[in-house]
């Protein structure tokens, strides 16, 4: 045997005429499908988790006397569920008749596009979520007491709806920071939930691309 095992393995991936090619292709077909199936399953579970979580938050906030904040958060999550279902349907419609390489690359293209779609909404979601929490804090009994303490410590006649201007400026500054950090927050969220699977996907694509170049 003049060829090394490594050379035969590489040739088998690229040339279907080689004896080992079907085994290599089947291996990558299974690895590709396993990763895609795992991610799609996680995406579907995430949709269910958002729905259940929003209902639990509505119940929790209602019990602590802040039902409107619960409703507000549920309203913010509705577009997220709609986006998630739409994007998941797109991934399920990808053609499985392609080669393992073409299939995994088409899935990765969809994934990057989907992340961009989510990212655009999260740039709105995070600031709006903080605004809702800030408003609830201001109108709550505890918030009113805190505002009273602030005015006593730093008196001012410049009040807007009973709220000192410096508190509103602080809230506005935090909203700006949250808005600017939305992409980073979303990427952190992605990494926590899907980081391991994304890493496996990247490694598989890198392996397949490396073999195609040899």
């Amino acid at each position: 045997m003049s060829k090394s095992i490594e050379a035969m393995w590489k040739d088998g991936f690229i040339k279907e005429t080689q004896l080992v090619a079907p085994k290599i292709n089947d291996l990558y077909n299974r690895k590709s499908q396993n990763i895609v199936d795992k991610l799609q399953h996680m995406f579907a579970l995430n949709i269910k988790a958002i729905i259940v979580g929003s209902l639990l938050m509505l119940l929790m906030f209602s019990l602590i006397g802040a039902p409107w904040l619960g409703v507000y958060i549920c309203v913010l999550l509705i577009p997220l569920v709609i986006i998630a279902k739409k994007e998941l349907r797109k991934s399920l419609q990808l053609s499985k008749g392609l080669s393992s390489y073409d299939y995994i690359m088409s899935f990765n293209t969809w994934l990057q596009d989907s992340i961009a779609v989510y990212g655009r909404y999260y740039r709105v979601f995070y600031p709006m979520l903080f605004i809702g929490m800030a408003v609830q804090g201001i109108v709550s009994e505890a918030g009113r007491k805190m505002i009273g303490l602030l005015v006593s410590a730093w008196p001012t006649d410049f009040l807007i709806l009973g709220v000192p201007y410096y508190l509103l400026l602080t809230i506005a500054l935090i909203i700006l920071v949250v808005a600017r950090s939305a992409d980073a927050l979303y990427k952190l969220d992605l990494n926590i939930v899907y980081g391991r699977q994304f890493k496996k996907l990247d490694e598989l694509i890198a392996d397949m691309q490396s073999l195609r170049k040899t």
Side-chain angles (χ1 to χ4, degrees):
M1 296 180 64
S2 60
K3 289 187 176 181
S4 66
I5 294 177
E6 180 181 2
M8 291 179 63
W9 187 67
K10 292 179 179 178
D11 288 344
F13 176 72
I14 300 170
K15 301 177 182 178
E16 294 184 355
T17 57
Q18 294 288 338
L19 180 62
V20 73
K23 294 182 179 180
I24 297 297
N25 290 334
D26 182 63
L27 171 64
Y28 275 95
N29 282 334
R30 285 186 283 110
K31 289 182 69 175
S32 300
Q33 194 60 56
N34 286 342
I35 291 177
V36 171
D37 288 346
K38 178 67 173 180
L39 283 170
Q40 288 175 334
H41 179 66
M42 293 177 71
F43 295 151
L45 283 179
N46 188 53
I47 294 173
K48 295 178 181 178
I50 293 173
I51 295 173
V52 173
S54 64
L55 295 176
L56 290 176
M57 280 191 292
L58 178 58
L59 176 61
M60 180 187 70
F61 283 118
S62 297
L63 292 175
I64 64 175
W68 291 113
L69 179 58
V71 172
Y72 178 78
I73 293 176
C74 286
V75 170
L76 286 179
L77 290 173
I78 289 174
L80 192 58
V81 172
I82 294 173
I83 292 171
K85 288 186 175 182
K86 181 179 179 181
E87 291 301 313
L88 182 58
R89 280 197 299 270
K90 287 182 181 179
S91 75
L92 295 173
Q93 291 171 356
L94 294 175
S95 175
K96 296 183 179 180
L98 303 172
S99 68
S100 57
Y101 177 77
D102 290 335
Y103 177 62
I104 203 68
M105 290 304 295
S106 65
F107 179 81
N108 189 57
T109 298
W110 164 83
L111 181 61
Q112 300 308 314
D113 291 341
S114 181
I115 289 174
V117 171
Y118 278 106
R120 286 193 291 271
Y121 180 68
Y122 274 107
R123 293 188 192 107
V124 176
F125 176 82
Y126 286 125
M128 293 299 292
L129 177 62
F130 181 80
I131 289 173
M133 296 176 67
V135 170
Q136 177 61 43
I138 290 173
V139 301
S140 67
E141 183 177 349
R144 285 296 176 183
K145 290 180 179 179
M146 182 174 292
I147 290 173
L149 293 174
L150 287 174
V151 173
S152 297
W154 295 285
T156 179
D157 294 329
F158 188 12
L159 302 176
I160 301 176
L161 298 177
V163 182
Y165 75 93
Y166 49 78
L167 178 58
L168 292 177
L169 287 176
T170 301
I171 292 174
L173 179 61
I174 295 175
I175 292 172
L176 179 60
V177 171
V178 170
R180 294 291 297 271
S181 304
D183 286 339
L185 291 172
Y186 174 52
K187 289 179 181 178
L188 177 62
D189 184 31
L190 272 182
N191 188 57
I192 292 173
V193 180
Y194 304 110
R196 291 183 62 186
Q197 294 304 316
F198 285 172
K199 183 178 180 181
K200 290 180 181 179
L201 177 63
D202 290 340
E203 289 174 349
L204 177 61
I205 291 174
D207 287 345
M208 297 173 80
Q209 289 179 332
S210 177
L211 289 173
R212 287 172 66 88
K213 292 177 181 178
T214 57

